[in-house]
Amino acid sequence: DDKGKTVSDHVGGLKFTSKYNKTDEFSIGVAAGKFGKPDWSLLTMGGQYQLNPRIHAQIGMSTLMSDKVRFSPGISYQKIMKGPENTLVVQGLVDYLYDKAKNTIMTGGIGYRSGANIGDAIQIMLGLYIKDIKAMLGYDLNISSLSGASGSQGGFELAVQYIGKVYKRPKPDPII
């Protein structure tokens, strides 16, 4: 009986981002996770599957092409330890500044995820950024030998991100 069982999963990473001129930036990062080797089970009875540790690395840049268009290519790599599984993802996104006053940006792009033979999937992404909220819809078009198992159907993914800000009220020194 696994009731009351505590699962430990440790994840951590570092990311460095730097502007190399007024409009363009570069980033590089690395992360590691699943070092607690958590057990995952779809059902509470039987079917245990242990998740192996993994490392993830990414590199990217962002460059302003015009006063309204930004191009952001990126590459990420994930390696699952104690196994042959690894994944390479190459993506390119184009942002279009739709409304500067309302800070609204439309974005879209394509990507490729590696796998067996010619690859695993082609990714198609569309999104909208409004102030501090980012929403992205993606579709993975399966191109691997596993497409027969999925009936050549891809998968939709939806991501929503909110960037909150904490403003610290200054405490000025009293003037005598």
Side-chain angles (χ1 to χ4, degrees), residues 93-163:
L93 290 172
V94 175
D95 296 344
Y96 174 75
L97 181 59
Y98 180 74
D99 187 341
K100 188 173 184 175
K102 293 182 181 178
N103 196 13
T104 303
I105 299 169
M106 296 186 313
T107 188
I110 59 171
Y112 165 82
R113 184 175 60 238
S114 71
N117 300 326
I118 61 170
D120 185 37
I122 300 291
Q123 304 163 329
I124 303 164
M125 299 158 283
L126 294 171
L128 185 64
Y129 305 163
I130 302 173
K131 296 184 181 177
D132 296 331
I133 299 173
K134 297 180 177 185
M136 181 80 74
L137 179 65
Y139 182 75
D140 279 11
L141 179 63
N142 192 336
I143 61 171
S144 74
S145 59
L146 298 175
S147 62
S150 68
S152 296
Q153 296 293 314
F156 282 99
E157 297 175 3
L158 175 65
V160 179
Q161 174 184 14
Y162 172 74
I163 300 173

Side-chain angles (χ1 to χ4, degrees), residues 2-176:
D2 288 339
K3 290 185 180 182
K5 179 180 174 183
T6 302
V7 176
S8 179
D9 183 14
H10 307 285
V11 179
L14 295 170
K15 183 177 180 183
F16 172 76
T17 302
S18 177
K19 287 190 177 244
Y20 53 89
N21 62 33
K22 289 183 180 183
T23 60
D24 303 336
E25 64 183 32
F26 166 82
S27 66
I28 188 167
V30 65
K34 309 291 183 217
F35 284 98
K37 291 188 178 181
D39 287 335
W40 176 83
S41 175
L42 184 59
L43 303 172
T44 57
M45 295 186 305
Q48 294 295 328
Y49 177 75
Q50 192 171 51
L51 299 173
N52 286 317
R54 60 197 66 210
I55 56 172
H56 179 88
Q58 68 86 27
I59 187 168
M61 65 168 289
S62 177
T63 184
L64 198 61
M65 308 290 282
S66 72
D67 60 339
K68 289 191 173 261
V69 177
R70 175 175 292 280
F71 177 59
S72 303
I75 298 172
S76 65
Y77 175 78
Q78 178 177 267
K79 172 67 178 155
I80 298 175
M81 309 310 279
K82 296 185 182 178
E85 298 90 0
N86 59 60
T87 305
L88 180 70
V89 176
V90 178
Q91 293 180 334
L93 290 172
V94 175
D95 296 344
Y96 174 75
L97 181 59
Y98 180 74
D99 187 341
K100 188 173 184 175
K102 293 182 181 178
N103 196 13
T104 303
I105 299 169
M106 296 186 313
T107 188
I110 59 171
Y112 165 82
R113 184 175 60 238
S114 71
N117 300 326
I118 61 170
D120 185 37
I122 300 291
Q123 304 163 329
I124 303 164
M125 299 158 283
L126 294 171
L128 185 64
Y129 305 163
I130 302 173
K131 296 184 181 177
D132 296 331
I133 299 173
K134 297 180 177 185
M136 181 80 74
L137 179 65
Y139 182 75
D140 279 11
L141 179 63
N142 192 336
I143 61 171
S144 74
S145 59
L146 298 175
S147 62
S150 68
S152 296
Q153 296 293 314
F156 282 99
E157 297 175 3
L158 175 65
V160 179
Q161 174 184 14
Y162 172 74
I163 300 173
K165 296 180 178 79
V166 177
Y167 296 100
K168 206 171 166 183
R169 183 171 277 186
K171 295 179 181 178
D173 292 334
I175 299 174
I176 297 177

